[in-house]
Amino acid sequence: MKVFVVKDQVEGAGIALDILKQKMADGAQVLGLATGSSPIEFYKQVRESELDFSEVTSVNLDEYVGLGEDSDQSYVYFMKEHLFNAKPFKENHLPNGLAADLDEELVRYNAILEEHPVDFQILGIGRNGHIGFNEPGASFDGVARVVDLAPSTIEANARFFADPEEVPKQAISMGIANIMAAKTIVLMAYGPEKADAIKATVEGTVTEEVPASVLQNHDDVVLIIDEAAASKLTK
Ligand code: GLP
């Protein structure tokens, strides 16, 4: 694991963008994308870059069950706002949170993930160490599935909703095995509320109780964190 401690998100996004440019120059064709506040500045710098995605496919990590593009809290809405409206891709794939039959949707999405192996994966991290919506206890062998959100995740994400009761209780998420299959993974985390999760991810035991700790088993992971998120690291 390579760790960059940066002064702010602007510097962090710049590093992530440089890695993306390098990987695209080397032929990366499939990007794994994440939502949340951590990659927002990265997407801004991507929008402002010269990068051309017309031959690139994207697959997203997750989507809330029950939300679609009409909801400004859906992840499909987020991706359009922050990236897809400004940068057209060859194809954009996200789980469909409005699918009438979720089992069928999982079959569809898992097939998409198999067809499009990810070259470059962006990740954030939850305060409890979740990646995508793989909450503590999620199997390292898991593929895309419907997950129940941890109460702490519902609480953390309530800040984006007018009424905390509106936060969906379930999501469709790539599994840990899907995430680990990416060739390169860049995880961004900022702020003191991520410090415990970062410490457990970098220096803790590899355990399903801390989903992001699995990244210690991957050979091309870059962590981009600010000083607050790095504050509990000892090395
Ligand atoms: C959400 C998302 C994750 C994201 C995490 C952290 O629940 N499903 O993909 O990484 O929480 O979000 P943020 O970057 O806003 O702290």
Side-chain angles (χ1 to χ4, degrees):
M1 228 182 244
K2 207 182 218 174
V3 180
F4 288 94
V5 180
V6 296
K7 74 172 187 306
D8 56 21
Q9 299 198 19
V10 174
E11 186 186 354
I15 293 172
L17 180 62
D18 284 344
I19 299 170
L20 174 61
K21 283 181 178 168
Q22 187 58 53
K23 296 295 170 188
M24 285 181 62
D26 293 345
Q29 286 175 333
V30 181
L31 307 187
L33 301 176
T35 57
S37 53
S38 307
I40 286 181
E41 174 63 26
F42 168 71
Y43 291 134
K44 175 168 180 274
Q45 293 190 22
V46 172
R47 290 196 307 273
E48 291 167 356
S49 76
E50 301 293 301
L51 286 174
D52 174 19
F53 297 95
S54 56
E55 293 303 319
V56 174
T57 294
S58 71
V59 290
N60 259 77
L61 279 174
D62 47 15
E63 178 62 282
Y64 287 119
V65 169
L67 300 191
E69 58 185 301
D70 291 345
S71 162
D72 62 4
Q73 291 308 327
S74 70
Y75 289 168
V76 60
Y77 184 98
F78 175 103
M79 290 312 305
K80 288 186 174 183
E81 281 287 299
H82 290 281
L83 188 59
F84 300 157
N85 288 343
K87 289 281 190 186
F89 280 63
K90 183 175 168 197
E91 293 170 27
N92 296 125
H93 298 287
L94 286 103
N96 176 10
L98 294 179
D101 184 331
L102 288 173
D103 290 333
E104 252 173 45
E105 174 56 13
L106 294 176
V107 171
R108 184 192 75 87
Y109 205 62
N110 275 309
I112 283 170
L113 296 176
E114 264 184 40
E115 266 167 51
H116 303 286
V118 171
D119 295 304
F120 174 93
Q121 176 70 52
I122 286 289
L123 282 186
I125 185 170
R127 298 171 196 194
N128 60 5
H130 74 235
I131 46 178
F133 268 131
N134 294 285
E135 299 283 18
S139 166
F140 285 170
D141 299 324
V143 295
R145 68 203 187 290
V146 173
V147 296
D148 294 325
L149 304 188
S152 63
T153 299
I154 295 174
E155 197 185 304
N157 291 358
R159 68 190 195 276
F160 300 114
F161 291 80
D163 175 352
E165 286 302 305
E166 287 171 20
V167 188
K169 309 286 184 290
Q170 288 189 313
I172 300 169
S173 179
M174 274 195 204
I176 305 260
N178 302 120
I179 294 171
M180 288 295 281
K183 286 204 195 91
T184 300
I185 297 176
V186 174
L187 184 150
M188 287 179 267
Y190 305 106
E193 61 284 349
K194 301 291 172 71
D196 287 322
I198 289 297
K199 181 173 174 56
T201 298
V202 180
E203 297 179 354
T205 315
V206 176
T207 164
E208 290 179 347
E209 290 314 308
V210 181
S213 67
V214 74
L215 299 174
Q216 291 179 31
N217 294 341
H218 194 286
D219 63 5
D220 189 7
V221 173
V222 178
L223 253 58
I224 300 173
I225 57 182
D226 67 0
E227 277 173 20
S231 60
K232 295 197 174 162
L233 295 179
T234 53
K235 291 171 210 153

